[in-house]
Amino acid sequence: MPGRMSLFSRNREYGGGAMLGVLCVTLIVGVGTYLIRAGSLSLGGRMTWPTWLRQWFVFVTPAVLGALLGPEIFLPNQHGIFLWHNETFLASIPTGIVAWYSRNLLLTVMVGVLCFAALSYLLS
């Protein structure tokens, strides 16, 4: 109807409809993620897992961490560069050493950020 405007049509006319869509999608994904995690945590404590599955779960965290960090460290911007010109790779070396010996997350993050900032400044 030409004379009647709803909330959605007014937002689309002024360019705000996209923001409402993003908000709705964000809320739906957040609720879904919460329900999945809450369900697995509440069931995980009550179930007895088979030994082979518990042994398999030990490898999930390092595999996911490697899959997330490997491309970021070795292939920044989706193309390979020499490792000695790659500040992400160079900063990961002292960060990994500090993480291995200290087992302190805050110290590891601080060393990583400081090394990356210093190397970004020096290599640019």
Side-chain angles (χ1 to χ4, degrees), residues 50-107:
T51 305
W52 64 270
L53 188 61
R54 279 187 278 137
Q55 291 173 344
W56 183 79
F57 280 149
V58 171
F59 297 106
V60 171
T61 303
V64 169
L65 188 63
L68 291 174
L69 293 180
E72 183 65 32
I73 291 173
F74 295 111
L75 298 171
N77 302 325
Q78 275 103 32
H79 66 281
I81 59 174
F82 293 113
L83 292 180
W84 302 118
H85 297 290
N86 181 351
E87 63 265 3
T88 308
F89 172 73
L90 294 174
S92 69
I93 296 170
T95 304
I97 292 170
V98 168
W100 183 269
Y101 286 108
S102 74
R103 304 282 183 191
N104 184 335
L105 181 61
L106 180 62
L107 181 63

Side-chain angles (χ1 to χ4, degrees), residues 40-49:
S40 66
L41 287 174
S42 65
L43 287 177
R46 295 181 196 150
M47 291 179 59
T48 55
W49 300 96

